[in-house]
Amino acid sequence: MSAISASAVSVRIEGHEITITNPDKMLWPEEGITKLDYVRHLAELSPYLLPYTKGRYLTTIRFPDGIGGQAFYQKNCPEPFPGFIHTVQLDKIRYVNLDSAAALIWLGNLACIEFHPSLHGIGNDLPLEWIIDIDPSREEERRLPQAALIVGELLDKLGIASIPKTSGATGMQIVTPIRRGYTFEELRKLGKLIGEFLAAKHPRLFTVERATKKRGELIYIDYLQHWRGKTLSAPYTPRARPGAPVSTPLEWSEVEAGFHPRDFHLGNIKERLRQKGDLLAKTPPQVLDHILERLER
């Protein structure tokens, strides 16, 4: 790393020189995390984050003045962009294919804090995994671990291995790695069945009501978000919230013990990954034929 001026530093990664402008700008003021601190964290996260962004269409959220300032969604690749940034066109949008640490650092310099990839790959509309989104109606929801456990236990009874993941915000996702070849339509039918079953069995806990104002304090099982063209927070993406939380896969024993989504953040994610590695990568792709065949019958 070398200084360019008082307002910029140069970092070298994967053979590319990237200028970090305004390195002392506070992105998370309460935590004292500057832009330079942030890109260092991104460099450490890159081996774990990139497998879930490369080969997908990326939507990112930029916070030029830190998490307390105005933000905007970015789908089109910012211009101008260097040669190591790979892009792909879809429906008149030039998306970034976030496939390298250099690209991640370049986006980090633009104050891209959140990374939300498509649920299908570039040039292919088949889902890459199956995700059930659990969305609390309250900002602070103490029943979230209980809700996640109920979903996970039902999947387990169906012979489906899954991994719980904090969104990094208020909710969770239950992620199931899958064998390639299933369609969004097939998985939506399965998600609908699970959501309606759990809402009927636990009417004081769950709902499948999409209208926010009609949910009351129930936890929404969002099976509709898993669809082509939609996005969810990537595993290991930071989130623009107090405490600098990171979307983090968990062990089911950790869910059973209780947790808060903000327990996992930029300050401790490096050590967690050193100890546990990528829990999602350790889960083999699941075969869902036996469930889907019964649904068809």
Side-chain angles (χ1 to χ4, degrees), residues 17-296:
E17 291 284 342
I18 302 174
T19 299
I20 308 301
T21 56
N22 302 312
D24 296 328
K25 176 177 284 187
M26 287 291 176
L27 296 186
W28 283 269
E30 292 186 8
E31 290 70 34
I33 298 176
T34 65
K35 188 197 285 188
L36 186 58
D37 295 328
Y38 174 54
V39 297
R40 285 170 172 158
H41 285 300
L42 287 182
E44 294 168 347
L45 283 172
S46 62
Y48 303 95
L49 173 61
L50 291 174
Y52 302 102
T53 61
K54 67 182 180 181
R56 306 189 190 213
Y57 304 97
L58 179 73
T59 298
T60 185
I61 310 179
R62 293 175 62 179
F63 293 78
D65 298 312
I67 68 166
Q70 290 189 335
F72 60 95
Y73 284 82
Q74 180 103 48
K75 290 182 179 288
N76 272 299
C77 180
E79 294 186 351
F81 57 88
F84 58 80
I85 297 295
H86 299 143
T87 64
V88 62
Q89 196 85 10
L90 178 67
D91 298 333
K92 299 182 180 180
I93 297 174
R94 175 178 276 187
Y95 288 92
V96 172
N97 175 9
L98 180 48
D99 59 356
S100 69
L104 183 60
I105 298 306
W106 182 75
L107 289 171
N109 177 60
L110 297 176
C112 297
I113 288 180
E114 300 191 7
F115 302 96
H116 299 253
S118 62
L119 300 170
H120 56 90
I122 292 171
N124 192 320
D125 66 355
L126 293 178
L128 294 168
E129 62 275 302
W130 177 39
I131 301 175
I132 297 177
D133 193 27
I134 304 177
D135 188 10
S137 300
R138 300 182 291 197
E139 182 73 16
E140 294 290 335
E141 178 55 85
R142 295 181 179 180
R143 300 174 298 173
L144 186 61
Q146 174 195 2
L149 279 174
I150 290 173
V151 176
E153 287 170 356
L154 176 56
L155 293 178
D156 185 63
K157 289 178 180 178
L158 294 173
I160 302 171
S162 62
I163 293 291
K165 177 179 81 73
T166 69
S167 69
T170 59
M172 290 193 71
Q173 286 100 38
I174 310 302
V175 184
T176 298
I178 55 172
R179 188 193 68 189
R180 292 300 302 277
Y182 300 116
T183 67
F184 281 106
E185 288 81 3
E186 289 174 320
L187 297 179
R188 177 167 283 190
K189 288 180 183 178
L190 182 54
K192 182 175 187 290
L193 175 67
I194 288 172
E196 291 178 346
F197 173 79
L198 290 178
K201 187 173 183 180
H202 304 275
R204 296 184 179 181
L205 182 63
F206 291 120
T207 182
V208 290
E209 173 58 61
R210 193 152 181 81
T212 305
K213 62 182 180 181
K214 295 182 180 180
R215 295 179 199 165
E217 296 185 345
L218 298 176
I219 295 174
Y220 176 44
I221 299 179
D222 187 357
Y223 60 87
L224 295 172
Q225 186 64 21
H226 188 261
W227 196 250
R228 61 181 64 87
K230 293 183 179 292
T231 66
L232 282 168
S233 56
Y236 310 111
T237 179
R239 301 300 300 267
R241 290 194 163 235
V246 173
S247 179
T248 305
L250 307 179
E251 296 172 338
W252 281 111
S253 60
E254 294 178 297
V255 179
E256 191 171 4
F259 69 95
H260 192 282
R262 290 196 292 272
D263 288 343
F264 312 96
H265 49 78
L266 287 178
N268 63 15
I269 189 66
K270 178 182 177 182
E271 178 60 20
R272 175 181 176 82
L273 289 170
R274 187 188 69 80
Q275 293 181 1
K276 296 183 179 294
D278 182 3
L279 297 175
L280 274 172
K282 296 177 182 179
T283 305
Q286 300 295 293
V287 176
L288 306 178
D289 294 8
H290 61 298
I291 303 296
L292 295 174
E293 287 171 2
R294 291 173 65 182
L295 269 179
E296 289 301 318

